[in-house]
Amino acid sequence: MCGVIGVFGYDNVATEIINGLQTLQHRGQDSAGIVVFNGSFKMHKGSGTVTNVFKHFPLERFAGEIGLGHVRYSTIGSTEAVDAQPIAVNYPYGLAMVHNGNVVNFNELRRKLYEEHHRLLDTSNDVALILYTLATQLEKKDLRNLSVDDIFDSVQKVQEIVQGAYSAITIIANKGFLAFADPYGIRPLVMGRKFTDKGVVYAFASESTTFDFLGYELMRDLKPGEMIFIDNDRHIHSKIGVTKQQAFCVFEYIYFAREDSVIHNRLVASERVRMGKRLAEKFRKTGLEPDIIIDVPNSAYFFASAMAEELGIPYRRGLAKNYHIGRSFITPNQQEREKMVRQKLNPIRDIVCCKKVAVVDDSIVRGTTSKRIVEMLRQAGAKEIYFISASPPVKHPCVYGIDMSVKREILASHYEVDEIRRYLGADAVIYQDLEDLIDLYKDLPICHACFSGQYPTGAAEEALEAIEKEKLESDRV
Ligand code: AMP
């Protein structure tokens, strides 16, 4: 998963982009980068968090009123700085791009780009495939008189050729600012504006929370298959290109996006409350009577508190979190992951001691977190422990940019709920039902491939194989 931002303003935009990236840091901490255009592209990127990458940033050399920023969370592709975004090419136009998502037919694209266009890609990063595919389409147009129709036609070809999830922002040097989404609209991308003395500044970002911080007004989300081009006179052009049945990633609402973001006119926090209330209905049917409901901080707060409200059971903060520890989920080996969960979370003893505790997390993937939590709660004296997952059983890897590990490590791929309960050592395990989740999103078609295995785009097999291969390689290191 990644976070992207693009700003088309009047003054230098670098500071604003870096500040914006800080608000998207939860979407990726592996690398960060910026590009600004001012007659030529100036790029700065590196491995690590925004603070680390921009610690010694030479701001004075980054003048420019149009720019892009990116934070990366590596899925396919290495975590090395060479794969960090943005990336840029000089031919046929100066083009720079950032994207969020994951391309699934990359082998085919790489082969095509080489065989048909003699472009040999030196990166495993899929944004290069999108950028070069766009460049090869633009190359076919009248380079001196590139029109908006030419640009849209080229993007449409990209949407026909590139399969997977992508929400991309592009600078076309001396022409304007382009954003486009894949035909399914899998990843979020919002458009905003700010009125200044010099004129209207436009921006695109992965999440609206960025706009809150930077003082932009949220205009709208990009629709599936939509492309928006803002020309140098700041006129906005938009068109729906290739479009399919929408499949917005529901895991954005469950876990990934910040709770204060608004995506498709829905506040993420409110979505979590809705899911929590639905979970409460299922929980009620179990006849279990917990004394308290606690959350696994922080993403589960709204699920847990909404459930508690609905069931009339007190909500408490029963686990303290150390906010200064890295991410346990992507720590490569299992032993390290377990240790990290222990360092990250600690039961608040008097809250849980001698009580029947219902503990809510957003998801169970490998079960590392949940198993350790159950152990810790027992050690702290909890009488009974009911583990509740706000998402349905995760059974399949995500090929669209969220790290869901590989199938062999995903608990619910191989075990039934009662076996999972035994493995976790809990007295009950309750998952949200997939049917309930789908029912909650009757009016916003979602991608639920990680629960159902129904991958909306083609070529998922290719991506699944690559994820397996990459995992094997990283296990060997
Ligand atoms: P696991 O320990 O493998 O079962 O992972 C579940 C825990 O990781 C939950 O506490 C989630 O909040 C968190 N989580 C779930 N999906 C992801 C993800 N894609 N990236 C990082 N953390 C995640």
Side-chain angles (χ1 to χ4, degrees):
M1 188 54 51
C2 298
V4 295
I5 176 172
V7 180
F8 192 8
Y10 293 91
D11 298 316
N12 294 339
V13 292
T15 306
E16 197 151 84
I17 289 173
I18 297 166
N19 291 340
L21 287 178
Q22 296 278 14
T23 69
L24 295 171
Q25 188 73 89
H26 61 288
R27 298 186 69 87
Q29 293 110 47
D30 288 345
S31 74
I34 188 173
V35 65
V36 295
F37 180 74
N38 189 359
S40 65
F41 288 119
K42 294 268 183 316
M43 185 109 64
H44 178 90
K45 55 189 180 180
S47 301
T49 60
V50 176
T51 307
N52 287 338
V53 172
F54 291 97
K55 203 186 284 170
H56 304 295
F57 180 63
L59 187 63
E60 62 293 346
R61 286 201 265 125
F62 278 72
E65 41 183 59
I66 184 165
L68 308 172
H70 188 267
V71 285
R72 174 176 162 84
Y73 155 114
S74 68
T75 42
I76 293 175
S78 71
T79 52
E80 288 166 24
V82 66
D83 275 336
Q85 299 187 34
I87 65 162
V89 290
N90 292 320
Y91 180 81
Y93 290 96
L95 293 173
M97 185 182 277
V98 288
H99 106 112
N100 170 28
N102 198 42
V103 170
V104 292
N105 61 334
F106 39 87
N107 288 333
E108 179 199 347
L109 288 175
R110 220 180 272 145
R111 188 177 41 75
K112 262 193 176 162
L113 283 166
Y114 181 63
E115 287 174 6
E116 295 171 20
H117 305 282
H118 313 293
R119 290 177 186 266
L120 184 59
L121 293 193
D122 63 348
T123 167
S124 55
N125 193 334
D126 53 355
V127 70
L129 294 164
I130 308 175
L131 181 62
Y132 282 92
T133 305
L134 178 64
T136 55
Q137 296 305 322
L138 288 170
E139 204 178 332
K140 297 176 190 165
K141 308 293 178 194
D142 176 357
L143 299 184
R144 284 189 204 187
N145 300 302
L146 190 72
S147 66
V148 175
D149 283 345
D150 289 337
I151 294 169
F152 283 167
D153 185 55
S154 302
V155 175
Q156 190 149 337
K157 290 280 179 341
V158 171
Q159 291 169 325
E160 282 162 17
I161 298 169
V162 181
Q163 291 181 30
Y166 42 93
S167 287
I169 320 174
T170 306
I171 298 171
I172 307 182
N174 301 315
K175 297 283 175 196
F177 196 44
L178 170 71
F180 59 93
D182 67 72
Y184 302 85
I186 296 173
R187 295 277 152 237
L189 191 62
V190 286
M191 180 179 183
R193 68 181 165 197
K194 179 155 81 176
F195 295 93
T196 72
D197 295 346
K198 294 179 182 160
V200 187
V201 178
Y202 291 100
F204 294 98
S206 291
E207 293 186 34
S208 68
T209 184
T210 306
F211 295 160
D212 297 340
F213 279 88
L214 299 179
Y216 284 73
E217 172 197 332
L218 170 64
M219 293 167 72
R220 63 188 186 83
D221 297 71
L222 260 76
K223 300 188 185 89
E226 190 174 18
M227 34 200 156
I228 297 181
F229 180 67
I230 305 174
D231 64 31
N232 271 346
D233 298 321
R234 316 289 165 129
H235 293 135
I236 300 174
H237 311 261
S238 75
K239 190 181 169 189
I240 302 289
V242 181
T243 178
K244 299 272 165 54
Q245 165 74 13
Q246 185 174 22
F248 179 68
C249 168
V250 73
F251 214 70
E252 291 277 353
Y253 286 131
I254 293 173
Y255 172 80
F256 227 88
R258 271 177 61 141
E259 60 260 47
D260 50 343
S261 278
V262 177
I263 310 175
H264 294 302
N265 299 319
R266 295 151 187 257
L267 180 70
V268 172
S270 308
E271 291 309 290
R272 293 182 186 168
V273 168
R274 280 193 334 126
M275 290 183 226
K277 290 194 169 166
R278 193 53 82 92
L279 255 176
E281 282 172 34
K282 177 162 178 194
F283 189 83
R284 193 176 278 124
K285 291 184 200 141
T286 65
L288 294 167
E289 292 180 340
D291 299 311
I292 52 167
I293 297 187
I294 68 169
D295 59 330
V296 179
N298 279 333
S299 47
Y301 167 73
F302 286 101
F303 303 122
S305 53
M307 269 190 80
E309 198 178 299
E310 199 68 11
L311 295 167
I313 296 166
Y315 160 79
R316 292 283 181 276
R317 177 48 57 91
L319 290 162
K321 179 170 175 175
N322 180 344
Y323 292 92
H324 309 286
I325 298 275
R327 301 207 357 232
S328 49
F329 192 86
I330 54 167
T331 307
N333 85 48
Q334 182 65 12
Q335 232 176 347
E336 282 293 306
R337 266 197 299 268
E338 282 175 25
K339 208 167 91 199
M340 229 167 176
V341 177
R342 192 69 192 84
Q343 286 174 338
K344 213 169 174 175
L345 296 169
N346 198 27
I348 305 175
R349 189 166 282 271
D350 285 4
I351 302 280
V352 298
C353 187
C354 316
K355 303 221 177 71
K356 289 191 271 177
V357 179
V359 51
V360 188
D361 201 356
D362 56 81
S363 59
I364 302 171
V365 183
R366 285 171 285 229
T368 316
T369 314
S370 30
K371 192 173 166 62
R372 293 297 288 150
I373 288 171
V374 172
E375 275 168 23
M376 285 190 270
L377 292 173
R378 287 246 189 261
Q379 281 161 10
K383 212 160 57 183
E384 286 191 21
I385 301 158
Y386 315 134
F387 205 96
I388 302 169
S389 164
S391 63
V394 172
K395 294 186 175 178
H396 306 269
C398 174
V399 296
Y400 304 122
I402 292 192
D403 180 3
M404 285 289 185
S405 190
V406 286
K407 192 144 182 157
R408 83 188 117 86
E409 287 190 350
I410 299 177
L411 208 55
S413 286
H414 311 286
Y415 300 103
E416 296 300 323
V417 177
D418 199 53
E419 292 170 305
I420 294 174
R421 181 193 65 72
R422 258 183 282 141
Y423 173 74
L424 301 185
D427 297 287
V429 168
I430 294 118
Y431 282 99
Q432 182 93 260
D433 283 333
L434 179 57
E435 298 71 43
D436 280 340
L437 191 69
I438 292 172
D439 186 60
L440 280 172
Y441 287 94
K442 279 195 296 264
D443 47 352
L444 173 64
I446 51 171
C447 173
H448 43 71
C450 55
F451 312 124
S452 64
Q454 293 162 19
Y455 296 96
T457 68
E461 287 310 316
E462 190 179 313
L464 286 168
E465 266 171 40
I467 292 172
E468 289 284 343
K469 197 166 143 235
E470 195 191 356
K471 183 70 177 58
L472 279 177
E473 276 162 18
S474 76
D475 282 352
R476 249 182 251 131
V477 177

